[in-house]
Structure formats: structure tokens, C-alpha cells
Amino acid sequence: MNRRYLAVNLDPVLACNLRCKMCYFTDEEYVKKLKGQFKDDEIERVAETVFNRALKLQVGCGTEPTLYKKLPELIALGKKYNVPYISLTTNANLLTEEKIEALLKAGLNEFTISLHGVTKASYENFMQKADYEKFHKAFNAFKKLKQSYDFKVRINYTFNKDNFHELEDFFNHFDGRSFDILQIRPIQKIGNTEYNNFDISSLKDDYSRIIKVISNNCKTNNITLLAPNSISKLANNNEASFIFDYTFCYVSPISFWKEGFNWKEESFNAFSKKIGWSKLLFSNIFKSKKHLSTTSNKLNYEVEFN
């Protein structure tokens, strides 16, 4: 029916300026293979092919999008195709007030900022090559520009057993007027990463208490908190996650949605028809609970609105 339902996740350039210890960019062999950048005409073709089916455009999925020189033009292209919501995921180290404002003028709705440490020592340890002062300058710019523009800032904090407890002091380091959403998520294995301790069981006794402290601070600062209420809930199946397989559309210089899609010459609708995509979507509307439990699982979050 040509409706918008896709979450288009676009990496315009396959590179990163940091070497975060919990990221696959610390795997030298992997980085050697991860190369590529869209040319101007290719970005235009990507937009023509899939932006009119996008309910959301996420720029930056597994790499650092601020390395792409024509980022404001890409955001503006999304708005040209009337994508309802456009978000940028970044480590923020290359963002200046001028660059942030250019993205907002182009139509960006949200910044999602990756963070792996609250204090300077922890931050620069886990996010190697990052600069804590530059990071905070970006948040000072967010705070200032929020007076003139309507946009959201989401902090995506990835925790492990070594950086979790410092979350208790989060609001002593970050101004609640500079961001809107705090998302707390546990470390996950995403490749051959330098930091590879995925056991967070030692946090069990302190987890609920610290989350409660964060929750109270979020309420005081009118921040939306996204976090599992307990360690045990991280193991639960998310029976709604099955939609991920049918709405997620990943695009990069070396990959586009489904294998076999010749996106430079073929339209999204033509390829969908060829593979019987509409029939596949319809048949999965009525999946059983038993079937759902075998699909790819995503994290469950409790959402607290203030």
C-alpha cells in the first residue's frame, strides 16, 4: 500500500574517529575491511529508492556519521522526502555549535549521543581518542540552542561492571537542561572488542538502588528515563521484537536492505514484488507466541515520562 513503515538506518561513511573499548572499531582486522563512503549521486539514489517509505531515518548506526562532510545536505534530503523523524547517532566529539545549528536548520529532530563514562577518567578510558572537554562543549551548545530550536537530545549510556556505579553521580556532571532522554543499556557482545567482560552479575545488589537514584534525578530535571528496572529483566524475551526483522532497513556503502537488491537500478517496490515481500509481511502479522519466542530479541525497557 506504499505506506511508511521502515526504520532506515544509514551509515554514510564506514569510519570512526574514536576507538571505544566496547566497540568493534578496536578490532584492527575488522577495521581494515570496513571501508567506504557514499558519493553524492549515490546518496541521491538512496533517497530516491527508500526515503519515501521511511517512518524514521537514523543516520549513524555502527559508524561515526559526523565524518561525512555533507551531513547537513543528507538531513535536508530526508526532509525533502518528508521523512517524519530524523535522528543522528554520534559520539559528539566533532560537533561544534556551528555544526549542530547547521544540522538543526537542515531539519534534524534528534541527536543520540553515545556515552561510556560519566567522569573524565572513565570517559576517556572507555572512549579512546575522545576529549571530555569537547564532549561537554557539545552539550553546552545543545543547552543554548534549545532556546531557539525544537529538538531532542538522547544520551545512550552503555554500562558494564566498571562504569555502572558512577551513574549515581550523573547529574553532578551533566546539566539536565542540555538533554531530554537518558537511555541506559548493558554491554553486549558486538565483535572482537578490547573490553570483553560481559558479566554484569556483580551489579545485581546495587542495580535497583542506583536506577532509583537516577530515576529520581530524571524526574527532577524532566528527563525521560529508559532503563530495565532490574538485572533479571535483561534476560526476558521481548515478544514485540519480531517487528524488527520487517521494519529494519540498513543502508551503507557496502550493504542495502536485503541481499540481492540491486538498488542502483531496481526500485524498492520492484524488488519487494520480486521476492514476495508483501505476502511475507502479511503472513507474519499472525505469528504465534511460540514462534515469537524464537525470533531475534531486543531489550525490554521501562519508560518513565515526567
Side-chain angles (χ1 to χ4, degrees):
M1 296 174 65
N2 292 317
R3 299 293 296 274
R4 293 182 182 272
Y5 68 92
L6 292 177
V8 176
N9 288 253
L10 172 62
D11 277 328
V13 57
L14 299 179
C16 189
N17 55 317
L18 304 187
R19 292 295 180 266
C20 299
K21 288 185 175 181
M22 291 185 282
C23 176
Y24 42 70
F25 270 94
T26 53
D27 181 351
E28 292 183 5
E29 293 304 314
Y30 182 82
V31 171
K32 288 178 183 177
K33 303 173 184 177
L34 195 67
K35 298 183 184 300
Q37 177 173 306
F38 277 118
K39 298 176 183 178
D40 291 353
D41 60 333
E42 291 176 328
I43 282 290
E44 291 280 352
R45 177 58 184 163
V46 168
E48 179 186 358
T49 304
V50 78
F51 279 12
N52 65 339
R53 305 303 297 277
L55 193 60
K56 178 184 179 183
L57 171 60
Q58 182 76 51
V59 181
C61 186
T63 64
E64 179 49 48
T66 58
L67 291 170
Y68 184 67
K69 293 181 179 179
K70 292 191 175 182
L71 195 54
E73 290 86 344
L74 173 55
I75 302 303
L77 193 58
K79 287 303 177 184
K80 177 184 174 182
Y81 281 87
N82 299 314
V83 178
Y85 200 82
I86 303 179
S87 181
L88 177 76
T89 298
T90 172
N91 58 49
N93 269 243
L94 297 178
L95 289 179
T96 62
E97 182 178 332
E98 182 181 7
K99 290 179 179 179
I100 293 169
E101 188 165 21
L103 292 167
L104 294 172
K105 287 180 176 179
L108 189 68
N109 301 106
E110 179 187 61
F111 291 88
T112 298
I113 311 298
S114 302
L115 178 61
H116 301 167
V118 175
T119 66
K120 176 180 172 67
S122 181
Y123 174 83
E124 293 185 352
N125 174 49
F126 281 108
M127 305 187 78
Q128 295 183 345
K129 296 188 177 183
D131 186 299
Y132 192 68
E133 283 71 31
K134 284 183 179 179
F135 188 77
H136 273 284
K137 282 183 180 179
F139 276 83
N140 289 336
F142 291 146
K143 177 182 170 182
K144 177 182 176 181
L145 291 168
K146 278 183 167 294
Q147 299 174 33
S148 304
Y149 296 90
D150 181 18
F151 67 102
K152 299 292 185 183
V153 176
R154 175 195 301 251
I155 295 177
N156 186 358
Y157 191 91
T158 302
F159 73 84
N160 54 50
K161 75 175 187 65
D162 295 309
N163 71 353
F164 178 74
H165 288 88
E166 61 197 68
L167 278 168
E168 193 167 7
D169 297 320
F170 190 89
F171 285 90
N172 292 331
H173 296 269
F174 289 87
D175 190 332
R177 293 168 292 180
S178 65
F179 67 101
D180 308 275
I181 303 165
L182 177 58
Q183 182 171 357
I184 299 172
R185 58 191 305 169
I187 183 175
Q188 291 182 303
K189 186 173 178 58
I190 57 171
N192 185 24
T193 56
E194 181 175 337
Y195 185 93
N196 54 22
N197 188 343
F198 305 104
D199 183 5
I200 57 173
S201 59
S202 62
L203 303 177
K204 185 177 180 181
D205 292 339
D206 293 333
Y207 184 86
S208 295
R209 177 184 61 80
I210 292 177
I211 289 296
K212 184 63 176 176
V213 171
I214 298 166
S215 176
N216 289 337
N217 281 317
C218 282
K219 288 177 181 176
T220 300
N221 289 274
N222 294 315
I223 304 295
T224 298
L225 175 64
L226 304 177
N229 279 338
S230 67
I231 291 287
S232 61
K233 287 201 173 186
L234 295 175
N236 292 348
N237 285 333
N238 180 353
E239 293 175 347
S241 67
F242 77 98
I243 66 170
F244 174 86
D245 296 328
Y246 307 103
T247 60
F248 182 79
C249 175
Y250 179 67
V251 180
S252 80
I254 59 174
S255 178
F256 199 124
W257 193 41
K258 302 291 182 183
E259 187 176 352
F261 181 23
N262 183 9
W263 60 275
K264 292 185 179 181
E265 299 179 6
E266 200 169 12
S267 72
F268 181 86
N269 282 4
F271 182 70
S272 296
K273 185 176 181 180
K274 183 168 70 176
I275 64 173
W277 184 241
S278 60
K279 293 180 180 178
L280 183 62
L281 286 175
F282 185 78
S283 66
N284 281 286
I285 291 174
F286 304 105
K287 276 187 173 181
S288 67
K289 233 178 188 182
K290 181 180 179 180
H291 191 178
L292 290 180
S293 65
T294 67
T295 61
S296 61
N297 187 48
K298 301 298 166 187
L299 292 176
N300 286 302
Y301 288 97
E302 277 72 42
V303 181
E304 294 191 17
F305 293 100
N306 306 292

